[in-house]
Amino acid sequence: MVVAEHAPPGRTFPICLFSALIFLLSVMPAKAQDARALQQQLKEITDELKAQNSRLAEQDRLLKQQQSAIEAQQDQLAKLNSGGNARNGPGTNPGASGPSLPPNPSAPVGEAPPKPPQEPPQVVQSLPRGIAVLTPANHFTFQPSLEYTQTTSNRLVFEGIVIVPGINLGEVTATTDDRSIVSAVLDLRYGITEKFEVEARLPFTFSDDRATFLVQGPQNTATQSIYISNTGIGDMEFGARYQINSGRDDWPVFVANSRFKLDTGTGPFDVARDLAGIARSVPLGSGFMGLEGGFSALKLSDPVVLYGSANFIYQIPKDINKIIGNVPVGHVTPSNSINATMGFGFAVNPDFSFSMGYEHNHIFPQTTELGTTIQTTTPLEVGAMTLGMAYRLNPTLSINANFEFGVTAAAPDVRAVFSVPVTF
């Protein structure tokens, strides 16, 4: 028989306390180790988030840099597409923006794409004389030209009595005058500033005139032809042009111009004549000094340049004091005139341009003192359609051709000007 032993009541509590202490000591190191591991994991996650945020910020910066580069490229393309100004002539539509180009995939992120090659500006050089762009400051423009003018006029004069309509008693004189003028002109312009230029012009002229007279009377008919010509210096001219404004805020560019013409060419009262007063040579100039003043305007309306001008030409009166055909010629007040032009120029590409327009001159009467009488001519209306073409060989050299076709009775039949302006 086995009898169990029981611990004394006084020893039970210390044994339980000792057991609990041993259990806590065995568990606490494990809990502390788990807490340190958790803290380490939280730190790693925090560092990873910070690194991720840094990478996202860097990518956002690079994307913004790349976007700025693309916008800069689009601005450049828009400027190229907008073309030149009144000085450079028309280009493409200013309101059209350049195409959006994707970034180069082979280039590093954020690197600006390569700049497109710039095309030379489109310049309208076919505008009529006196309207083209000004010469750049401290530069010369030398423009030799060859000018040809052909004029044909018919006149019918009846001297006699009209008995009834259709039955005339007297002589009928029909005159056909055919005049050709060829001039070699040396024109030199110099730009004092970007808005002011001066000009000198010297023509060397050859002119011939063939007149045919047909006289028909009651008894017979007679025909006579006269051919006369002359060669020499024409009327020299000096001029200046000043650009008034810059043409900003959608305003046209206004240019004021002035010109002074000398009477260096042989005038109509200076040519050689026979005893009857019939001319034996052709005049090469007007015979009077003159002043011209006015303004022109150019407006860019893409893709063309609109132009217009208005000028007043005043010729200085003088005393002739000569006897021509037994008739004394005294004080002469030559014809003044008002000139107006309008048209447009178009640059097809950076090298070729053309222009079309209309030019009109109103010529006031001329008064001439012949002996004791004053004779006054009738006013004339001279209108012509204009056409110009220009091809630029390089930035300083081009070939120009301008034509005028008369549309009124008093206008020349045709006028052609071929020039080669050189800027240096």
Side-chain angles (χ1 to χ4, degrees), residues 195-218:
K195 294 186 177 182
F196 182 66
E197 74 169 13
V198 293
E199 178 183 11
R201 179 179 171 89
L202 174 63
F204 186 83
T205 303
F206 167 78
S207 178
D208 65 350
D209 194 344
R210 184 181 299 274
T212 302
F213 301 91
L214 174 63
V215 180
Q216 184 175 8

Side-chain angles (χ1 to χ4, degrees), residues 154-160 168 170-176 213-217:
N154 298 313
R155 185 174 60 180
L156 185 65
V157 178
F158 171 70
E159 297 179 358
N168 304 328
E171 292 185 349
V172 177
T173 302
T175 304
T176 299
F213 301 91
L214 174 63
V215 180
Q216 184 175 8

Side-chain angles (χ1 to χ4, degrees), residues 389-406:
M389 295 177 290
Y391 184 79
R392 188 171 64 167
L393 300 176
N394 57 56
T396 61
L397 176 65
S398 63
I399 300 175
N400 296 2
N402 293 83
F403 304 92
E404 296 181 7
F405 305 97

